[in-house]
Amino acid sequence: MKKLSIFIFVLFFIQFAFAVPEIDMDDEFKQGETLIAKVSGNFFKPLSSENIIFYKGHVRTSIPFSVEKINNLFYIYGQLLDKSPNNYSIVLENSKYFQGSQVIEEDITKNFTINENIADFSIDKGFVVTKEDFSIEVKNLQDKEITVNTRVVSGSESSGFLGVSFGEEKAEGDSVNIR
């Protein structure tokens, strides 16, 4: 049994030691939608706002965004409000990460498209990390009244984000009509 446990541990460790960073996000967004991406990898140098660049086609473009590290994963949200339909990409420029025992420095790119459809609403934040009260501004992008359902999810301090993912959460919800 002890040998089996060691073997499983080694397999688990090798998976992370050789993991190339990955950007996990949707491939397509509506106009006005908020881009949310999860970046995983064994980074030598943490991601920062200085090395996250957005492109429209092959031309650098301005997309307001924020990046936050939560439990060894990086989360990025970007505001796509006022962005026209086209092909875009997010680039983690000069990323330094471990691949096995080597430190690799390269750009990591994920392409995405903003399509012709318009989102129902836009929010000013893709995520909030706080122990304080906070607010989120919601903007109706439609020509009619819409209903937005809200849900606040929080995990215990010890379980953190993974606790939320596995059901150790408290959720409160409400509905708001927006003109």
Side-chain angles (χ1 to χ4, degrees):
M1 184 66 172
K2 187 174 183 179
K3 288 181 183 180
L4 180 61
S5 297
I6 292 172
F7 179 71
I8 291 171
F9 176 77
V10 169
L11 282 178
F12 183 77
F13 178 74
I14 288 174
Q15 176 184 0
F16 286 104
F18 293 102
V20 175
E22 179 180 46
I23 302 172
D24 182 20
M25 62 183 249
D26 290 339
D27 294 326
E28 187 171 85
F29 295 89
K30 295 177 182 177
Q31 294 178 65
E33 200 170 352
T34 301
L35 173 149
I36 299 178
K38 176 175 68 173
V39 181
S40 59
N42 191 3
F43 287 93
F44 175 77
K45 178 181 157 192
L47 295 181
S48 70
S49 57
E50 287 78 39
N51 67 320
I52 299 172
I53 311 295
F54 288 91
Y55 290 89
K56 177 180 179 181
H58 297 287
V59 178
R60 192 171 173 164
T61 189
S62 173
I63 293 181
F65 73 94
S66 182
V67 61
E68 187 74 40
K69 184 176 181 181
I70 305 170
N71 290 341
N72 296 321
L73 295 172
F74 291 91
Y75 291 87
I76 302 168
Y77 74 79
Q79 300 300 338
L80 304 180
L81 195 60
D82 300 325
K83 296 300 172 193
S84 60
N86 211 317
N87 294 320
Y88 291 80
S89 57
I90 180 173
V91 178
L92 311 179
E93 225 173 40
N94 302 317
S95 296
K96 286 186 178 182
Y97 62 91
F98 289 103
Q99 188 170 18
S101 61
Q102 293 184 316
V103 175
I104 307 294
E105 182 174 352
E106 67 180 0
D107 294 349
I108 300 165
T109 303
K110 173 75 174 179
N111 297 321
F112 63 96
T113 302
I114 298 177
N115 64 35
E116 297 284 337
N117 300 321
I118 296 176
D120 289 339
F121 62 91
S122 177
I123 58 175
D124 67 333
K125 300 171 190 71
F127 54 80
V128 178
V129 179
T130 183
K131 291 182 180 182
E132 306 295 323
D133 288 344
F134 65 93
S135 64
I136 294 176
E137 184 176 315
V138 180
K139 180 179 181 182
N140 183 352
L141 301 178
Q142 299 298 312
D143 292 332
K144 60 183 181 190
E145 182 176 278
I146 62 171
T147 301
V148 176
N149 297 315
T150 63
R151 188 179 96 166
V152 177
V153 179
S154 62
S156 69
E157 213 171 270
S158 61
S159 63
F161 193 79
L162 288 175
V164 170
S165 299
F166 291 101
E168 298 173 12
E169 76 230 22
K170 299 174 189 171
E172 300 174 17
D174 204 354
S175 294
V176 177
N177 292 332
I178 303 173
R179 291 188 182 261

